[in-house]
Structure formats: C-alpha cells, structure tokens
Amino acid sequence: MDILNSLTLKSNRQIKINFDGGGSSSDAGLLLIKDFAAKIGFSKLVKKKSKTNDASVRFHKDDENLMQMIYQIISAYFADDCADELTLDPVFHAILEKDGLASQPAFSRFFNRMDGDALIQFDDIDKCLRDVIYSIKRPEHMLLDLDSALFGTYGNQEGEGFNSHYQAHGCHPLLCYDGLTGDLLKADLRDGTLHCSNDADKFMESLFQEYVERGMKTYLRGDSGFPSPKLYKACEVNGCSYAIRLKQNPSLIALASDKDEDLYKAGKEGQISYAVTYGEFMNQAGSWGYPRRVVFKIEKPYGRLTHMHTFIVANMDMESLSDH
C-alpha cells in the first residue's frame, strides 16, 4: 500500500495536504513582537553589544541566549527549565531563526558566565534603546521614580538575606522607572539586608549624567526609604529637582506644631469633621551639611482626633511641587 506523503488539490493548487503532523504553538503573538524588535533595531543591538568574557566557541551564542530568554519571559516562561519544554515549538524556532533552542543547562552556563561587564552592557543597551525612542518622541522632561523591591529567595542563594522592612528573605534590588510612562530605566540587584537608600546616589549617577548630556530637565521622587543626604547632594549637583518623603519624627512634628494645634483645637470644639493644611520650614537634620526645605501636610481624618503627618524634603518651589 502506498503512503500518501503530499496531495495537492486540483480545485486549488495553493492547498496541500500531508500527514507530517506539523507543529503547533500558543505563542504566535511573538511573531509581532519579533517584528517590532526588528524595526527598532533591538535584535541587532543585542547581537552587537551582548557578549560575556568567554573565549570558547559555543553553538548557542550569548546574544542568542539572551534573546531566547527575553522572548521566554515575554511569553510567561519565567523558569530556566521552561526552555526544555520549548525544544520543538515552531514559533520560537522561527523568531530565533535556529534549528535548535538552548536548553536549561545551556542557560545555566550562560548565566554563570555573566560578570560585572555583562551587566554594564545591559545598561548600555537600555541607553541605546532610549536613543531610538527619544528620536521618535522626545519628552520635555524626565520624572524619575526611585524605588526598591523584595525578590523572594527560597534557599541559600547568593545575595539573599533577611530584610527587616519586608520581614522576609530575599534580595533587595534598586529600581528606577520613567514616572510618565512606567518604563523601567535601570535596575541593580543587591543584598537582601541592605537599606533602601544604600548607594542610591551611585545608582542614579549614570542616569543623571545621561539626561544632563541630553539637555533634559530631570525630577526625582522617592518614598520614605530614600532620605539620604548623599542622594540629595547627587540630585543638586546634577541639576535634578527632587521630592523625597521623610519619616515622621518628634522633631519634624514639633516644627509643624503651629498648624497642628489649630487643627486639633478646631476638631476638638466640633467645628470641623475633616480638614487638611499645608506648610513648610527650613530644617537641617544632624547628617545634613546645610538646611533644606521641608514641606508638610497635616490631615485630620473623619471621625478621628489624631492627625496624619506627611513630610517631604524638596529643592523645588511651590509651583513645581503642585505641578508634579
């Protein structure tokens, strides 16, 4: 009996029938992402700039491994060993233009080869991508959102530690986002025991310099984890306007006491059920080299006599603070 390998329909020569089984994938949307990456030159950029300090000749090259991992993460394949499940996926073969994909062991070796130079390359790739984006639409100014997070760990991993703020074990990376678009501008994976503001000034320095070179005005905002004189100084030296929340303490509350007493008196006498007031003063904490402007808000919530205090150290004028 003959085996039917391929049959072309007489009614339509464009349609062929075979029994190869074919490949299926639920990630066809990656083809559009691949096209976008090609249009902005991302794939070529990674190929040009991503290389570990390894002289070995390898079948799976560094830039190919990085692109495969990026596409896996976009498709929610977060674990390294997901690569083993994608060995025969036709979409991944098409977008990576490879006959074979890197496996989990290949990824482990790839990540082990990474060092400080490789991380610097990532920052350079990000900067080059911003060159592309800003050539299309250049923002008038940049709002830099400085933050940190906990990356949970589940074993004796490098850099893991107990973080008292989160009351959990993990790493404690620094992150900086574009506050207008939400884009991640920079990240730095750090030991889990470090305080939020530890070396935040050094972390931000390259971004400050980048936007100084671009001639773009920068604004920085941070929560109460970043009250650092070194960070204030780095902002001031690089022409960055900042607004960083301070943790309330008796000294700050005492300096705002005039406004506080007025609200307390009005609330006690039943004159108001809710109120909020604002003010400012110059203050020099013990670790500050000179006085800085502190603005505050005191809020009396409904049904409560106790007041909520918010303090922010800033080098902006009142108009800038209200705008941003």
Side-chain angles (χ1 to χ4, degrees), residues 27-44 67 71 74 91-98:
D27 300 304
L30 283 178
L31 294 168
L32 296 177
I33 295 176
K34 160 79 172 184
D35 194 52
F36 174 74
K39 286 184 177 180
I40 64 173
F42 179 64
S43 304
K44 291 182 178 179
M67 289 303 301
Y71 284 126
I74 290 174
V91 171
F92 274 85
H93 281 266
I95 61 176
L96 294 169
E97 302 176 15
K98 296 176 65 176

Side-chain angles (χ1 to χ4, degrees), residues 108-124:
S108 295
R109 292 190 293 270
F110 169 58
F111 289 130
N112 286 335
R113 294 196 301 273
M114 286 192 177
D115 55 14
D117 290 340
L119 299 181
I120 292 174
Q121 290 171 5
F122 290 160
D123 284 340
D124 191 25

Side-chain angles (χ1 to χ4, degrees), residues 37-38 40-50 63 67:
I40 64 173
F42 179 64
S43 304
K44 291 182 178 179
L45 186 61
V46 169
K47 186 173 184 178
K48 177 182 178 182
K49 292 184 174 291
S50 179
D63 61 283
M67 289 303 301

Side-chain angles (χ1 to χ4, degrees), residues 66-84:
L66 179 57
M67 289 303 301
Q68 180 178 333
M69 178 52 70
I70 290 173
Y71 284 126
Q72 283 189 201
I73 291 173
I74 290 174
S75 306
Y77 299 111
F78 299 114
D80 295 358
D81 55 9
C82 289
D84 295 337

Side-chain angles (χ1 to χ4, degrees), residues 94-311:
I95 61 176
L96 294 169
E97 302 176 15
K98 296 176 65 176
D99 294 331
L101 302 183
S103 62
Q104 183 274 323
F107 271 132
S108 295
R109 292 190 293 270
F110 169 58
F111 289 130
N112 286 335
R113 294 196 301 273
M114 286 192 177
D115 55 14
D117 290 340
L119 299 181
I120 292 174
Q121 290 171 5
F122 290 160
D123 284 340
D124 191 25
I125 291 172
D126 287 343
K127 185 177 184 296
C128 291
L129 280 177
R130 289 193 286 274
D131 289 336
V132 175
I133 301 303
Y134 296 157
S135 69
I136 299 172
K137 185 176 181 180
R138 177 187 169 93
E140 295 181 4
H141 60 266
M142 282 300 300
L143 177 58
L144 305 173
D145 272 344
L146 182 59
D147 204 352
S148 67
L150 180 78
F151 285 4
T153 54
Y154 305 94
N156 190 25
Q157 296 168 249
E158 182 180 356
E160 85 88 27
F162 181 76
N163 188 280
S164 59
H165 176 75
Y166 292 98
Q167 290 294 295
H169 281 264
C171 295
H172 192 200
L174 273 176
L175 306 165
C176 184
Y177 296 89
D178 182 334
L180 302 179
T181 65
D183 294 338
L184 178 64
L185 300 177
K186 188 176 181 181
D188 183 21
L189 189 63
R190 306 180 304 164
D191 188 289
T193 62
L194 293 178
H195 187 269
C196 295
S197 62
N198 190 275
D199 288 336
D201 55 315
K202 297 177 181 177
F203 172 76
M204 291 301 302
E205 187 64 35
S206 62
L207 285 175
F208 288 151
Q209 287 299 313
E210 176 184 334
Y211 288 106
V212 167
E213 292 170 2
R214 296 184 189 278
M216 296 168 59
K217 172 63 179 174
T218 55
Y219 298 86
L220 180 140
R221 61 184 177 186
D223 61 24
S224 58
F226 296 95
S228 164
K230 291 182 179 179
L231 179 59
Y232 308 153
K233 185 68 174 180
C235 290
E236 293 159 0
V237 169
N238 290 283
C240 176
S241 297
Y242 60 85
I244 299 173
R245 184 167 181 170
L246 299 172
K247 292 182 179 179
Q248 72 175 44
N249 59 56
S251 296
L252 292 175
I253 292 175
L255 289 168
S257 60
D258 290 344
K259 297 277 188 177
D260 205 0
E261 289 175 0
D262 292 341
L263 279 186
Y264 182 78
K265 182 178 179 181
K268 187 176 181 180
E269 295 175 354
Q271 299 174 9
I272 54 174
S273 57
Y274 172 84
V276 61
T277 186
Y278 302 88
E280 64 175 274
F281 51 79
M282 296 299 293
N283 184 51
Q284 181 175 352
S287 59
W288 300 2
Y290 43 84
R292 289 184 170 91
R293 180 171 181 246
V294 176
V295 297
F296 64 86
K297 178 179 80 170
I298 304 176
E299 182 179 10
K300 179 201 173 299
Y302 288 103
R304 290 175 54 184
L305 290 178
T306 56
H307 297 165
M308 298 172 57
H309 296 78
T310 301
F311 297 94

